[in-house]
């Protein structure tokens, strides 16, 4: 198709041939890299490149700015120059599920009617700003902190997808993503393994490591690619939509992603997301989500940006199934039964939208079976628990500096000897009053019959204890200090953390009997707590009560009185009460409290009840503050009727008193 021209030293001929070869090779590059459709063989390409190189070396003045040799790499810089972005390079907010996508669309709809979106693949690389003056690439920069980045022009010039000159001699800035294909990444790591140099963890790290090289030969050897997806100043070119911007940039010679799709509504948008969630592995490069951009640029103006993100776009992040990170230590925790659990301390890593720093290792055998050493690279997954699990070791990434795992023999909290379960698998602290068992007290404190903190169940308390967020009762009320950390945890978005913190705030207003029961004073059950609260009204009165005085209360015997006195003579417990007071927890009896939900009401029972004996139901109603009487009068609040009711039922009807069937009793007594 093409032939080598035999030329003399006629300067016009030389200039013409250089131009011809430059264009021919650039076209071949575009066909190969942009359209994935090679039009000349590799041998031909090399032959023309050699011819051009010889001519350029002989006549350097005739070398074109967009010569493919301008990319080869050779430029070495001393340090990265700082670059101030003319417009900040913003990042994107994230959404993680369908309902968050719908919420995003709803927020947009408040400002823009019938919004259309451009869905783009979220390329897992590093963002780059490319600046062209009069059609020539003059500067490439990293995002940096969004305001100031680093000049990486020398390296970016080696990226084949980045045009050195564009089709129009205009000034323009475009932004996109530099990335490494899966194939180039595999090949690079294969060679690095042979050379016994540290492997890159993923293509993104490899790409980032390549553009941050002072010597551009390194980047040139790394086979990087680039998709362009953003035009920061569309108004300069009369562009009105993201779709137009992408087409405009593609026409100028930039590589845009072929899968960019304009969708008409949120259901098409969700289909795009679902489709690529399934197909992501088929792509030759890694993506970590889908970027959703409002198509109308007028809408961009209306919605504006926060300091960090545009409000007109968001990124749907795929749930990462598993990630690899470094195990920096193994720490042991003691559960509420005294059971010892080894936990992986990890180099922070993003997994399914949250930063993971800990993972469970279950027990000693689990660690031994994995053959885990400290310093290993490990694979971790989220398995529906708050704390993820380590599931594998990357033995091939060992350096020889890893340390063997050693099982402990004494409790990490109280130092007591550990005992092994009969199965030989689990280890327990032998000290029945090991402080770590406080966890049991925390679970009781938050439980339904006690403070009733919605969302702070057994499992979460155990996890928060192991993560160090809640070690003592006051820590529960200080949990808001860890708000940011909590949001990062699996299953704890902004909303659920707010809900949890709200329920913690709410229970501060509980009546005294709930706090008394929650403290876990020996022999003080729910009923006794109520009696004490009703009688003494404030915790201070109770603290000051003498043992004998306590026994004066009906149903409070010597054993309970002694235990209460003992509890309040312990300075640790008094300190706890003071902390609770300081934290704003109510310590007074509130009449009409939840426990008293039936206070002032009078009920009559009649007929045979299926689920309760008369005595049982009477007790339940009385515990809730109601009176249970035997005859129906005008003052009766309701008559609870079972099977074959007697005359009391007739009387209730006659007096117009509420009749409550047994199936509705549950509703009445639930709180
Ligand atoms: S748009 C204001 N589009 O994702 C526009 N970003 O998590 C901001 N990314 O910093 C960027 N593919 O590095 C955009 N099609 C795409 C993208 C994309 C990958 C990266 C980019 C950005 C990060 C945000």
């Amino acid at each position: 198709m093409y032939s080598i021209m035999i030329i003399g030293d006629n300067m016009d001929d030389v200039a013409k041939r250089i131009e011809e070869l430059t264009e021919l090779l650039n076209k071949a590059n575009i066909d190969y890299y942009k359209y994935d459709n090679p039009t000349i063989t590799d041998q031909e390409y090399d032959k023309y490149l050699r011819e051009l190189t010889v001519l350029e070396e002989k006549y350097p003045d005739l070398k074109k700015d967009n010569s493919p040799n301008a990319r080869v790499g050779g430029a070495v810089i001393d340090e990265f120059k700082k670059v101030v972005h003319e417009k900040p390079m913003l990042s994107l907010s994230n959404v993680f599920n369908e309902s968050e996508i719908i919420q995003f669309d709803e927020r947009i709809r408040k400002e823009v009617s019938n919004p259309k979106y451009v869905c783009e693949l979220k390329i897992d690389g590093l963002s780059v700003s490319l600046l062209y003056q009069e059609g020539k690439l003059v500067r490439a920069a990293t995002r940096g902190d969004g305001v100031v980045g680093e000049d990486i022009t020398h390296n970016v010039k080696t990226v084949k997808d980045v045009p050195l000159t564009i089709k129009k001699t205009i000034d323009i800035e475009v932004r996109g993503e530099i990335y490494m294909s899966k194939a180039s990444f595999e090949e690079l790591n294969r060679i690095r393994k042979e050379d016994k140099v540290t492997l890159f963890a993923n293509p993104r790290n490899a790409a980032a490591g390549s553009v941050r090289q002072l010597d551009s030969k390194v980047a040139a050897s790394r086979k990087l690619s680039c998709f362009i997806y953003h035009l920061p100043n569309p108004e300069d070119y009369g562009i009105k939509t993201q779709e137009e911007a992408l087409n405009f940039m593609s026409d100028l010679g930039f590589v845009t992603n072929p899968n960019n799709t304009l969708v008409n509504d949120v259901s098409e948008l969700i289909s795009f997301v679902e489709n690529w969630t399934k197909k992501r592995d088929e792509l030759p490069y890694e993506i970590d989500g889908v970027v959703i951009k409002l198509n109308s640029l007028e809408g961009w103006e209306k919605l504006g940006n926060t300091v960090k993100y545009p409000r007109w776009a968001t990124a749907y992040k795929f749930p990462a199934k598993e990630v690899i990170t470094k195990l920096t230590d193994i720490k042991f925790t003691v559960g509420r039964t005294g059971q010892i659990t080894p936990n992986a301390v990890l180099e922070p890593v993003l997994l399914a939208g949250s930063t993971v720093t800990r993972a469970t290792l279950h027990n000693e055998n689990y660690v031994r079976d994995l053959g885990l050493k400290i310093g290993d690279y490990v694979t971790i997954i989220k398995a529906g628990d708050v704390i993820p699990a380590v599931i594998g070791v990357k033995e091939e990434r060992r350096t020889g500096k890893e340390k063997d795992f050693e099982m402990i023999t004494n409790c990490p909290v109280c130092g007591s000897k550990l005992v092994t379960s009969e199965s030989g698998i689990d280890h327990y602290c032998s000290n029945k009053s090991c402080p770590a068992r406080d966890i049991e007290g925390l679970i009781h404190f938050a439980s339904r019959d006690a403070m009733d903190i919605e969302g702070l169940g057994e499992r979460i308390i155990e996890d928060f204890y192991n993560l160090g967020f809640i070690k003592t009762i006051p820590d529960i009320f200080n949990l808001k200090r860890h708000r940011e950390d909590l949001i990062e945890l699996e299953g704890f978005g902004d909303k659920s953390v707010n809900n949890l913190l709200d329920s913690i705030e709410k229970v501060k207003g509980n009546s005294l009997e709930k706090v008394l029961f929650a403290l876990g004073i020996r022999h003080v059950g729910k009923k006794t707590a109520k009696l004490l609260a009703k009688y003494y009204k404030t915790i201070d009165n109770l603290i000051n009560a003498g043992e004998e005085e306590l026994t004066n209360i009906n149903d409070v015997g010597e054993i309970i009185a002694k235990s209460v006195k003992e509890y309040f003579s312990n300075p640790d417990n008094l300190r706890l009460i003071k902390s609770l007071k300081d934290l704003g927890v109510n310590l007074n009896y509130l009449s009409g409290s939840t426990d008293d939900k039936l206070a002032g009401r009078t009920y009559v029972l009649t007929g045979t009840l299926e689920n309760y004996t008369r005595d049982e139901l009477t007790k339940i109603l009385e515990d809730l503050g109601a009176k249970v009487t035997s005859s129906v009068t005008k003052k009766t609040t309701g008559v609870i009727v079972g099977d074959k009711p007697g005359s009391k039922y007739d009387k209730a009807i006659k007096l117009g008193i509420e009749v409550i069937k047994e199936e509705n009793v549950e509703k009445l007594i639930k709180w």
Side-chain angles (χ1 to χ4, degrees):
M1 191 169 30
Y2 303 100
S3 61
I4 299 183
M5 200 182 156
I6 310 293
I7 51 165
D9 273 357
N10 177 323
M11 293 303 266
D12 283 350
D13 286 350
V14 174
K16 212 170 131 221
R17 183 59 179 164
I18 284 182
E19 194 171 333
E20 200 174 51
L21 286 168
T22 304
E23 253 151 48
L24 184 158
L25 289 163
N26 282 343
K27 179 178 178 305
N29 270 334
I30 291 174
D31 291 340
Y32 184 91
Y33 287 104
K34 181 170 173 178
Y35 300 116
D36 211 6
N37 178 28
T39 45
I40 58 173
T41 64
D42 287 357
Q43 290 76 10
E44 280 174 307
Y45 184 91
D46 289 343
K47 191 171 70 182
Y48 296 128
L49 187 63
R50 267 198 309 276
E51 185 190 344
L52 177 67
T53 313
V54 169
L55 290 176
E56 284 176 346
E57 274 168 10
K58 200 162 171 197
Y59 304 103
D61 291 348
L62 296 179
K63 184 173 173 179
K64 313 284 290 176
D65 288 331
N66 62 340
S67 161
N69 280 323
R71 302 181 185 279
V72 172
V76 180
I77 58 168
D78 297 333
E79 57 174 359
F80 291 99
K81 266 196 292 189
K82 297 275 175 255
V83 165
V84 180
H85 298 294
E86 202 181 306
K87 278 195 176 168
M89 281 184 84
L90 300 178
S91 182
L92 292 168
S93 60
N94 293 319
V95 289
F96 294 102
N97 51 47
E98 197 181 304
S99 76
E100 288 176 1
I101 295 179
I102 293 169
Q103 282 168 22
F104 169 75
D105 175 58
E106 278 168 1
R107 275 198 303 277
I108 301 275
R109 277 173 189 283
K110 287 199 181 127
E111 301 289 335
V112 179
S113 54
N114 296 325
K116 292 185 178 177
Y117 299 100
V118 174
C119 291
E120 300 175 15
L121 300 183
K122 187 167 183 309
I123 315 298
D124 201 5
L126 64 139
S127 43
V128 66
S129 145
L130 306 176
L131 199 65
Y132 290 78
Q133 276 166 4
E134 295 177 3
K136 282 185 206 143
L137 176 67
V138 291
R139 194 200 70 192
T142 62
R143 187 172 102 80
D145 63 5
V147 179
V148 180
E150 282 177 334
D151 191 320
I152 49 165
T153 317
H154 64 301
N155 287 329
V156 173
K157 273 189 172 172
T158 71
V159 179
K160 298 251 178 16
D161 288 345
V162 174
L164 299 176
T165 57
I166 50 176
K167 299 262 170 67
K168 288 186 181 166
T169 48
I170 50 171
D171 292 353
I172 193 169
E173 185 194 348
V174 295
R175 294 176 183 175
E177 199 85 353
I178 299 222
Y179 66 96
M180 188 178 281
S181 71
K182 290 178 190 167
S184 303
F185 168 71
E186 298 295 337
E187 176 64 6
L188 174 64
N189 262 358
R190 193 186 58 73
I191 295 168
R192 288 175 76 86
K193 197 172 172 195
E194 267 174 26
D195 295 347
K196 296 202 168 50
V197 281
T198 334
L199 303 187
F200 284 112
N202 52 47
R204 180 174 25 85
N205 286 2
S210 307
V211 297
R212 291 208 80 269
Q213 293 285 335
L214 295 171
D215 181 351
S216 65
K217 272 209 194 74
V218 182
S221 70
R222 295 275 171 89
K223 298 210 180 75
L224 296 169
S225 308
C226 181
F227 282 122
I228 295 299
Y229 48 66
H230 185 62
L231 183 62
N233 300 301
E235 61 286 352
D236 292 354
Y237 314 96
I239 280 161
K240 299 254 179 327
T241 63
Q242 169 68 0
E243 189 190 25
E244 277 172 39
L246 289 169
N247 290 337
F248 175 67
M249 295 188 289
S250 172
D251 290 345
L252 285 175
F254 294 107
V255 182
T256 54
N257 190 286
N259 304 299
N260 295 335
T261 303
L262 181 70
V263 298
N264 291 304
D265 55 37
V266 73
S267 70
E268 282 183 28
L269 198 166
I270 289 166
S271 303
F272 184 94
V273 166
E274 281 173 354
N275 184 28
W276 283 105
T277 306
K278 278 189 227 125
K279 287 197 339 198
R280 62 188 283 206
D281 292 339
E282 292 169 23
L283 289 164
Y285 44 84
E286 289 204 343
I287 58 170
D288 60 341
V290 168
V291 181
I292 305 161
K293 296 176 183 172
L294 179 65
N295 193 36
S296 148
L297 303 195
E298 202 184 307
W300 290 19
E301 282 292 311
K302 240 188 198 171
L303 286 149
N305 306 315
T306 69
V307 191
K308 276 170 136 180
Y309 317 119
R311 289 200 184 86
W312 42 264
T314 195
Y316 167 79
K317 287 288 222 26
F318 292 136
K321 293 154 219 147
E322 50 181 61
V323 288
I324 295 167
T325 189
K326 194 171 179 176
L327 173 77
T328 54
D329 200 359
I330 293 180
K331 286 228 160 92
F332 296 88
T333 49
V334 192
R336 78 197 138 95
T337 54
Q339 190 176 350
I340 309 292
T341 307
N343 296 281
V345 182
L346 305 165
E347 250 175 31
V349 63
L350 200 68
L351 174 61
S354 59
T355 306
V356 173
T357 51
R358 292 283 175 114
T360 180
L361 291 165
H362 306 293
N363 52 47
E364 180 189 3
N365 274 13
Y366 190 83
V367 183
R368 302 226 182 271
D369 289 350
L370 282 174
L372 216 58
K373 290 174 185 244
I374 293 161
D376 268 339
Y377 279 87
V378 292
T379 310
I380 56 169
I381 56 156
K382 286 259 172 93
D385 296 338
V386 171
I387 300 187
V390 172
I391 56 149
V393 185
K394 295 273 151 199
E395 283 181 26
E396 67 277 15
R397 291 183 65 175
R398 283 201 174 138
T399 59
K401 289 194 186 138
E402 295 74 17
K403 279 197 286 174
D404 283 339
F405 161 74
E406 269 177 49
M407 184 60 201
I408 49 168
T409 52
N410 292 72
C411 172
V413 175
C414 70
S416 307
K417 267 247 158 298
L418 298 186
V419 289
T420 310
S421 64
E422 265 179 37
S423 63
I425 292 173
D426 295 317
H427 301 280
Y428 291 86
C429 167
S430 55
N431 175 6
K432 291 276 175 284
S433 47
C434 171
R437 297 190 184 211
D438 289 350
I439 204 164
E440 201 168 0
L442 292 167
I443 290 169
H444 171 75
F445 186 85
S447 66
R448 191 167 163 221
D449 279 354
M451 292 300 268
D452 193 17
I453 306 178
E454 214 175 301
L456 198 61
E458 223 171 276
R459 180 80 157 278
I460 303 226
I461 292 187
E462 225 170 328
D463 283 339
F464 284 5
Y465 185 90
N466 289 335
L467 291 163
F469 297 148
I470 297 180
K471 290 279 184 197
T472 65
I473 289 172
D475 289 346
I476 296 179
F477 297 100
N478 284 323
L479 193 64
K480 52 187 172 223
R481 291 187 191 156
H482 299 286
R483 198 175 176 283
E484 297 307 314
D485 300 318
L486 300 183
I487 290 172
E488 292 288 301
L489 294 173
E490 168 71 355
F492 275 89
D494 218 8
K495 205 164 149 202
S496 47
V497 169
N498 284 346
N499 287 346
L500 175 61
L501 296 178
D502 284 351
S503 26
I504 292 174
E505 283 305 300
K506 201 175 100 196
V507 304
K508 285 186 178 173
N510 279 350
S511 184
L512 176 62
E513 66 277 14
K514 289 191 90 56
V515 185
L516 282 182
F517 178 59
L519 289 174
I521 306 167
R522 268 185 97 198
H523 304 301
V524 177
K526 217 174 118 189
K527 194 174 153 220
T528 309
K530 177 102 175 276
L531 291 173
L532 294 173
K534 255 187 167 168
Y535 191 90
Y536 285 104
K537 305 280 190 278
T538 72
I539 201 143
D540 291 332
N541 288 343
L542 179 61
I543 291 171
N544 294 327
E547 208 171 305
E548 216 185 297
E549 187 190 319
L550 281 161
T551 54
N552 287 340
I553 307 170
N554 250 353
D555 285 340
V556 175
E558 275 170 30
I559 296 175
I560 298 176
K562 198 160 179 265
S563 171
V564 171
K565 212 52 229 157
E566 237 171 56
Y567 183 88
F568 290 116
S569 331
N570 181 335
D572 286 343
N573 295 334
L574 292 177
R575 260 193 296 276
L576 168 63
I577 305 290
K578 171 143 191 337
S579 305
L580 291 178
K581 237 186 228 171
D582 293 346
L583 285 160
V585 176
N586 170 58
L587 297 169
N588 298 325
Y589 175 70
L590 310 171
S591 57
S593 72
T594 45
D595 254 14
D596 261 345
K597 80 174 258 200
L598 300 180
R601 300 189 196 188
T602 310
Y603 293 95
V604 173
L605 311 181
T606 178
T608 317
L609 299 165
E610 208 179 301
N611 295 316
Y612 310 88
T613 64
R614 286 256 178 132
D615 280 352
E616 272 167 8
L617 188 56
T618 302
K619 192 168 174 301
I620 292 170
L621 292 168
E622 282 177 350
D623 276 351
L624 292 170
K627 254 199 203 155
V628 178
T629 60
S630 52
S631 56
V632 181
T633 70
K634 272 191 211 155
K635 286 189 183 157
T636 307
T637 315
V639 175
I640 297 171
V641 293
D643 198 27
K644 299 201 187 95
S647 60
K648 291 172 191 169
Y649 173 70
D650 301 332
K651 194 154 181 203
I653 301 282
K654 210 165 135 194
L655 294 176
I657 287 165
E658 188 187 7
V659 172
I660 302 156
K661 290 195 189 139
E662 190 180 348
E663 63 252 39
N664 293 326
V665 164
E666 201 56 35
K667 253 192 254 160
L668 184 74
I669 62 179
K670 213 173 97 193
W671 45 271

